[in-house]
C-alpha cells in the first residue's frame, strides 16, 4: 500500500516533465538544428528496438557509420534493411549481459577499423522476474550497469576512442528513487529481488559513473548522461504494462526520447563539473529527493565493486 502511494506520488511529480507534454513545452523554445555526423563512427548498444533503434537509424541517416549491437541477429538484419545507408550500418550480434562477450568486443573488426567517435550506452532492462545470466549475475545488473561499465572501460583501455570522442550514457528518471548503493545491486537471491528498485540503483550508478569517468579521463573521451523521459517502447510495454496503458496518450515516441542524444553529440556542451543529468537539452539536478543525497557508497567504492564483479566473472572457469 505504502509502495503504491509512493509510486503514484513519484509519477505525479514527474508527469509534466517526463511525458510528451514536457518534451513539447521544452521543444517550443528550441531553434532547429540539422546534425551532421558525417565521417563519425557511432557505437550503439541495444540497437534493435526502442530508443536504441531510433538512435542507430537516425545517426546513420545523418552521416554516421553505425556499429549496432544487439543479441537478436534477425532484428539486426531488419535494422540494416531499414537503414538509409545500409553499407554504413554494421550489425554485431552480442549478448550485452555477458561480460565475457563484452570484453571481446574491442577486438571485433568493426571496432578496430576506425576509432569510435560516439558511444551510446543505451541498452537497459527493467525485469519483473528474477533471472541469472550464465555467468551467475542478476540479468538486469549485468545489462544495465556492469556491461556498460566493462564495455566503456575496455574501449578506453584498448584505445578505441577517437581524440574527440563522446560517451553518452542513457539513464532513467527512475534513478531519482535511489541513492548510490552497491548493496543489492547484483541481487542473486530471487527471494529478495525487486526489479524496479534494482533498475533505479543501476540507473543511479550510471549517473555516478559519468562523474567518475569525467574525473578520470578529463574529456578524452567526454562523458555525458541523459534520460529520455517516458517513451512508448516494447521495453515499457513488457516491464510496466499498467503504466504504459494508463499513460499511453502522454508517452513520448522514440524520436522525442532520443532527441537529447543527437543534441549532445552535435552541440557538445561542456560536461557538468558538479554533476547533473540531461533531459530535453537541459541539465537537470542529480537529486530530486533529500533521501537520495546520502549516498551509501563513494564513487571509488562503486568502481571497485564493479571491477570486482567483472573480475570474478572473468577469472571463473567458463561454463
Ligand atoms: N522507454 C522509456 O520510457 C525509458 C525511460 C527511461 C529510461 N529508458 C532507458 O532507455 C534505454 C532504452 O530503453 P527502451 O525503452 O528503448 O528499451 P527497449 O524497448 O526494451 O529496447 C531495448 C533494446 O535493447 C536490447 N537488449 C536488451 N537486452 C539485451 C542484451 N542482453 N543484449 C543485447 N541487446 C539487448 C533489446 O533487444 P531484444 O529485443 O533482444 O530484447 C532492445 O532492442 C534503456 O537504457 C532504458 O532504461 C527508457
Amino acid at each position: 500500500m505504502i509502495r503504491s502511494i509512493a509510486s503514484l506520488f513519484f509519477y505525479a511529480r514527474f508527469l509534466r516533465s517526463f511525458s510528451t507534454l514536457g518534451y513539447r513545452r521544452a521543444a517550443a523554445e528550441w531553434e532547429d538544428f540539422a546534425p551532421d555526423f558525417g565521417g563519425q563512427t557511432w557505437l550503439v548498444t541495444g540497437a534493435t528496438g526502442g530508443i536504441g533503434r531510433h538512435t542507430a537509424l537516425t545517426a546513420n541517416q545523418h552521416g554516421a557509420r553505425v556499429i549496432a549491437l544487439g543479441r537478436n541477429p534477425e532484428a539486426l538484419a531488419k535494422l540494416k534493411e531499414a537503414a538509409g545507408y545500409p553499407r554504413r550500418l554494421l550489425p554485431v550480434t552480442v549478448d550485452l549481459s555477458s561480460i565475457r562477450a563484452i570484453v571481446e568486443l574491442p577486438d571485433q573488426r568493426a571496432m578496430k577499423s576506425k576509432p569510435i567517435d560516439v558511444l551510446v550506452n543505451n541498452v537497459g532492462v527493467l525485469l519483473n522476474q528474477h533471472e541469472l545470466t550464465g555467468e551467475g549475475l542478476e540479468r538486469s545488473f549485468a545489462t544495465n550497469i556492469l556491461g556498460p561499465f566493462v564495455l566503456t572501460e575496455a574501449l578506453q583501455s584498448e584505445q578505441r576512442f577517437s581524440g574527440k570522442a563522446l560517451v553518452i550514457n542513457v539513464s532513467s528518471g527512475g534513478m531519482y528513487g535511489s541513492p548510490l548503493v552497491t548493496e543489492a545491486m547484483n541481487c542473486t537471491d530471487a527471494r529478495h529481488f525487486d526489479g524496479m528498485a534494482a533498475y533505479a540503483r543501476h540507473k543511479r550508478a550510471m549517473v555516478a559513473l559519468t562523474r567518475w569517468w569525467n574525473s578520470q579521463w578529463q574529456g578524452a573521451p567526454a562523458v555525458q548522461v541523459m534520460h529520455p523521459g517516458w517513451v512508448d517502447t516494447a521495453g515499457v510495454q513488457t516491464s510496466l504494462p499498467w503504466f504504459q496503458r494508463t499513460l499511453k496518450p502522454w508517452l513520448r515516441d522514440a524520436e522525442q526520447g532520443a532527441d537529447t542524444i543527437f543534441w549532445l553529440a552535435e552541440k557538445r556542451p561542456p560536461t557538468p563539473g558538479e554533476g547533473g543529468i540531461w533531459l530535453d537539452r537541459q541539465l537537470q539536478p542529480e537529486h530530486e529527493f533529500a533521501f537520495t543525497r546520502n549516498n551509501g557508497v563513494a564513487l571509488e567504492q562503486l568502481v571497485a565493486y564493479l571491477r570486482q564483479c567483472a573480475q570474478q566473472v572473468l577469472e571463473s572457469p567458463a561454463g
Side-chain angles (χ1 to χ4, degrees), residues 200-218:
R201 285 183 199 118
H202 306 152
K203 293 297 184 177
R204 166 65 67 190
M206 198 65 151
V207 178
L209 269 185
T210 303
R211 219 162 354 99
W212 167 259
W213 281 328
N214 280 323
S215 73
Q216 298 300 300
W217 297 342
Q218 300 293 321

Side-chain angles (χ1 to χ4, degrees), residues 87-99:
R87 287 173 58 155
R88 284 196 269 106
L89 196 301
L90 288 78
V92 174
T93 307
V94 59
D95 177 354
L96 291 163
S97 68
S98 166
I99 304 307

Side-chain angles (χ1 to χ4, degrees), residues 176 178-180 204 285-297:
Y176 282 124
S178 178
L180 182 62
R204 166 65 67 190
E286 264 185 45
H287 297 275
E288 286 281 348
F289 305 109
F291 79 94
T292 67
R293 288 180 190 278
N294 297 322
N295 287 328
V297 293

